């Protein structure tokens, strides 16, 4: 889930149960260390997340990654988890972890564009990988493009694990045969990239606060559709007012949930504990892609059960949308703007990320 923290009703409850089961299955599949002994006095690391515990991403951290860290460290490390903005809200998470208000926190780059300008590149692609390949993309970017860990280091944080989002879906109030139906309509998105994509594709982009007012605008006909990750649309019950859904795993969102740790805290950890965290993230990464694939399929099934008309786009359709969106022109304009603002390497870093994206996508 990205923008929404609302309850979902009966169908949403079944979805949460499915996601929790999927995460639990992933945890069971991870290797265990039978000889691990609980440390007498573990090092407690406080963790902050802006979302409530319940969706796939948060349950994966709680049920898979955090137990793996404790297990791999033989009990020397313990995660004290805090959810639903108990320590810091979404837009305050970077400041909280960089100043040690929390030892660890989920940081969403989109919410901190000023502090993390290069991280905005991720959302600038209209198409991209999903599932395990999406995980591979982000891991390669951080391993091969030094500018990204360096940007985090400037903010006194170290990346530990990349959690990712679900693909984009288009929720329309009227039947829409294909994405050409965007033309002439009023469409809402939160991303500045997507607003430009919609405009170039012939739609009128709309900026609105995320909440019940979107549902009301769709119902009233003052908004024709919503471009959003499929799970956020489902959680807000957008399909009840905009039941015509076009979706594809190839429709890239690029939304990143970075598990980060305060750099000073990281530097105080013994090397064996740093190594334990690395082993835990490695095994968790192997489980993440399949869990995301299963839960994506479950979301589409529940949308159909709820009465929505769902069509999975043919492979060529997202590519045509990217062409209509003129995303390369949008990227180039952004890079020039960043250069004028003082981020002189934006163009070069964009080229590096593009090369990795092209390689992943084949």
């Amino acid at each position: 889930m990205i923008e929404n923290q609302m309850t979902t009703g009966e169908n949403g409850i079944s979805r949460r149960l499915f996601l929790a089961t999927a995460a639990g299955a992933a945890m069971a599949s991870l290797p265990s260390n039978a000889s691990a002994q609980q440390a007498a006095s573990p090092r407690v690391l406080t963790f902050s997340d802006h979302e409530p515990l319940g969706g796939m991403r948060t349950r994966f951290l709680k049920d898979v990654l955090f137990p793996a860290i404790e297990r791999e460290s033989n009990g020397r490390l313990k995660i004290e988890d805090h959810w639903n903005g108990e320590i810091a809200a979404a837009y305050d998470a970077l400041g909280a972890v960089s100043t040690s208000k929390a030892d660890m926190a989920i940081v969403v780059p989109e919410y901190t564009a000023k502090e993390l300008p290069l991280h905005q590149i991720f959302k600038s692609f209209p198409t991209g990988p999903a599932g395990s390949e999406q995980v591979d993309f982000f891991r390669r970017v951080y391993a091969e493009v030094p500018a990204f860990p360096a940007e985090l280091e400037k903010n006194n944080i170290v990346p530990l694990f990349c959690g990712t989002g679900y693909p984009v879906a288009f929720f329309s109030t009227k039947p829409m045969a294909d994405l050409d139906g965007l033309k002439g309509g009023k469409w809402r998105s939160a991303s500045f990239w997507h607003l430009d994509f919609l405009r170039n594709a012939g739609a009128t982009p709309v900026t609105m606060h995320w909440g019940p007012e979107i549902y009301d605008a769709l119902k009233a006909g003052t908004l024709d559709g919503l471009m959003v990750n499929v799970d956020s649309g489902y959680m807000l019950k957008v399909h009840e007012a905009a039941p015509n859904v076009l979706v594809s795993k190839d429709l890239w969102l690029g939304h990143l949930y970075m598990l980060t740790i305060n750099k000073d805290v990281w530097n105080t950890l013994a090397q064996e504990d740093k190594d334990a965290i690395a082993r835990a993230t490695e095994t968790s990464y192997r489980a993440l892609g399949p869990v995301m694939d299963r839960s994506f399929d479950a979301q589409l099934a529940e949308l159909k059960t709820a009465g929505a008309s769902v069509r999975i786009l043919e492979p060529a359709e997202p590519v045509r949308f990217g062409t209509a969106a003129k995303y390369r022109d949008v990227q180039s304009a952004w890079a020039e703007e960043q250069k004028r603002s003082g981020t002189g390497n934006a163009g070069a870093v964009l080229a590096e990320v593009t090369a990795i994206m092209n390689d992943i996508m084949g």
Side-chain angles (χ1 to χ4, degrees):
M1 182 175 64
I2 288 179
E3 296 176 281
N4 168 56
Q5 298 183 16
M6 303 177 67
T7 57
T8 63
E10 185 175 342
N11 284 332
I13 291 173
S14 65
R15 174 170 173 264
R16 286 198 297 271
L17 289 173
F18 172 85
L19 297 178
T21 301
M27 178 178 63
S29 70
L30 296 178
S32 61
N33 185 349
S35 62
Q37 298 296 321
Q38 192 73 11
S41 299
R43 171 77 178 271
V44 177
L45 299 173
T46 57
F47 164 76
S48 172
D49 197 305
H50 59 280
E51 290 185 352
L53 180 62
M56 187 284 296
R57 183 190 65 79
T58 54
R59 291 259 39 128
F60 190 89
L61 293 175
K62 175 73 172 180
D63 297 340
V64 180
L65 180 57
F66 292 165
I69 290 174
E70 296 182 14
R71 183 175 60 251
E72 291 292 344
S73 68
N74 289 344
R76 294 186 304 273
L77 299 177
K78 180 175 176 58
I79 311 301
E80 180 186 292
D81 49 315
H82 297 265
W83 308 94
N84 204 21
E86 182 181 327
I87 293 179
Y91 290 87
D92 302 324
L94 177 61
V97 68
S98 65
T99 60
S100 292
K101 185 177 180 181
D103 297 322
M104 304 164 63
I106 290 295
V107 171
V108 177
E110 186 178 18
Y111 302 155
T112 52
K114 180 179 178 181
E115 294 83 0
L116 301 174
L118 294 176
H119 279 73
Q120 307 313 306
I121 290 173
F122 296 142
K123 300 200 79 168
S124 70
F125 298 90
T127 60
S132 297
E133 288 187 338
Q134 184 175 207
V135 173
D136 292 343
F137 167 79
F138 282 114
R139 296 190 71 185
R140 281 190 57 182
V141 165
Y142 279 92
E144 298 175 21
V145 187
F148 287 102
E151 192 169 72
L152 297 179
E153 186 175 5
K154 283 177 60 177
N155 287 274
N156 201 41
I157 58 177
V158 174
L160 298 180
F161 187 81
C162 294
T164 59
Y166 286 98
V168 167
F170 292 86
F171 292 81
S172 175
T173 58
K174 303 181 181 71
M176 196 164 72
D178 52 39
L179 294 179
D180 287 340
L182 293 169
K183 295 175 181 176
K186 297 183 289 294
W187 284 75
R188 187 266 185 193
S189 179
S191 168
F192 67 87
W193 297 105
H194 292 171
L195 294 174
D196 282 342
F197 295 170
L198 287 167
R199 182 180 295 107
N200 290 338
T204 298
V206 175
T207 301
M208 288 181 63
H209 180 265
W210 182 259
E213 52 265 50
I214 292 177
Y215 180 95
D216 295 340
L218 291 167
K219 203 74 174 174
T222 56
L223 190 64
D224 296 305
L226 185 65
M227 180 182 181
V228 70
N229 53 302
V230 63
D231 55 322
S232 281
Y234 176 83
M235 296 289 275
L236 194 62
K237 295 186 178 181
V238 168
H239 55 279
E240 294 181 1
N244 305 285
V245 184
L246 298 180
V247 65
S248 167
K249 284 187 177 181
D250 294 336
L251 285 170
W252 170 256
L253 183 69
H255 201 81
L256 185 62
Y257 299 89
M258 290 189 299
L259 174 61
T260 64
I261 188 169
N262 177 275
K263 182 183 175 184
D264 300 323
V265 171
W266 176 254
N267 289 339
T268 65
L269 295 179
Q271 187 58 48
E272 62 177 344
D273 289 334
K274 293 179 180 178
D275 293 342
I277 292 174
R279 290 192 301 272
T281 58
E282 185 65 37
T283 55
S284 297
Y285 271 133
R286 290 200 294 269
L288 180 58
V291 168
M292 291 190 69
D293 286 337
R294 289 195 296 271
S295 56
F296 175 77
D297 293 340
Q299 289 170 52
L300 298 191
E302 290 204 13
L303 279 170
K304 293 175 182 177
T305 299
S309 173
V310 180
R311 184 171 80 83
I312 299 176
L313 300 177
E314 297 296 326
E317 293 183 90
V319 176
R320 286 201 298 270
F321 171 71
T323 301
K326 301 178 181 178
Y327 78 96
R328 292 191 184 277
D329 293 342
V330 176
Q331 288 177 330
S332 296
W334 174 84
E336 285 299 316
E337 181 182 349
Q338 292 303 307
K339 184 177 180 180
R340 291 192 296 270
S341 301
T343 308
N345 63 337
V349 174
L350 173 61
E352 292 181 89
V353 175
T354 300
I356 295 173
M357 177 68 81
N358 291 341
D359 187 50
I360 292 281
M361 294 297 287

